[in-house]
Amino acid sequence: MKIGELARNAGLRASAVRYYEKLGIVSAPDRKGNQRRYAGDALNRLLLIRFASDMGFTLAEIKIFLSGLRSDVPVGPRWRKLAHRKIKQVDASIKRSRQLKSLLQHLLHCRCPALPVCVQRLSLSPTLQKLQDGPRSPTARIGSSNQTNSGP
């Protein structure tokens, strides 16, 4: 398969295919008449690269990932380490997404008279506190006892 056809079928540009080849993520193809001719399995590899990239893997991680996957050999320790690290990142992303969903669901029921009031109430609410990574400063809580919880 020629590079243009391969790239089109994978939803990529030919320059991306050449770049992946240069990085060693895609094997160098045979050449016929000074044209690259890729084997049929190159499309599956490119689709996997696109999927992994869309899922947040860096090209360096994709290279490790693909080099650790062979049909005749068990996965190696580098691949396992990458997999464990990515699982932690995915779990953290899922947690953040769930927190964001919860916040947005609360905002759907907001009855604040104006955006500044809503923002002020959110900054004092337990929901937003959970979203923050670090501990809140004591000055951010001033006035929290005077607020009613009629907002989100």
Side-chain angles (χ1 to χ4, degrees):
M1 178 179 330
K2 292 182 180 180
I3 191 169
E5 180 183 359
L6 176 66
R8 189 171 42 259
N9 290 340
L12 298 168
R13 293 182 180 180
S15 60
V17 177
R18 286 189 292 273
Y19 182 65
Y20 295 156
E21 184 183 326
K22 180 180 175 181
L23 292 177
I25 297 173
V26 174
S27 300
D30 293 332
R31 291 184 180 260
K32 290 185 182 176
N34 209 21
Q35 289 184 340
R36 290 173 166 90
R37 298 291 179 148
Y38 291 88
D41 65 338
L43 177 59
N44 290 332
R45 191 167 183 95
L46 285 174
L47 291 172
L48 186 57
I49 291 167
R50 264 195 67 209
F51 175 76
S53 180
D54 290 346
M55 294 298 107
F57 281 79
T58 65
L59 290 177
E61 290 170 332
I62 292 170
K63 188 173 183 176
I64 292 169
F65 177 71
L66 291 176
S67 68
L69 293 178
R70 294 191 184 108
S71 59
D72 58 344
V73 180
V75 296
R78 289 178 64 199
W79 189 91
R80 289 180 196 275
K81 184 177 177 180
L82 170 63
H84 284 294
R85 186 172 67 236
K86 276 305 197 186
I87 288 170
K88 286 179 184 178
Q89 290 174 358
V90 167
D91 286 342
S93 179
I94 289 170
K95 182 180 178 182
R96 284 189 310 272
S97 294
R98 285 184 177 149
Q99 290 171 330
L100 176 59
K101 181 181 177 182
S102 175
L103 177 62
L104 291 171
Q105 287 172 329
H106 282 91
L107 288 173
L108 287 174
H109 303 290
C110 179
R111 291 177 177 73
C112 296
L115 182 61
V117 175
C118 189
V119 170
Q120 183 181 15
R121 287 182 180 163
L122 280 173
S123 67
L124 301 173
S125 75
T127 302
L128 191 60
Q129 288 176 12
K130 289 178 191 175
L131 293 176
Q132 294 177 341
D133 292 333
R136 299 197 47 176
S137 67
T139 57
R141 297 180 198 198
I142 294 174
S144 63
S145 60
N146 297 338
Q147 296 291 326
T148 61
N149 203 10
S150 61

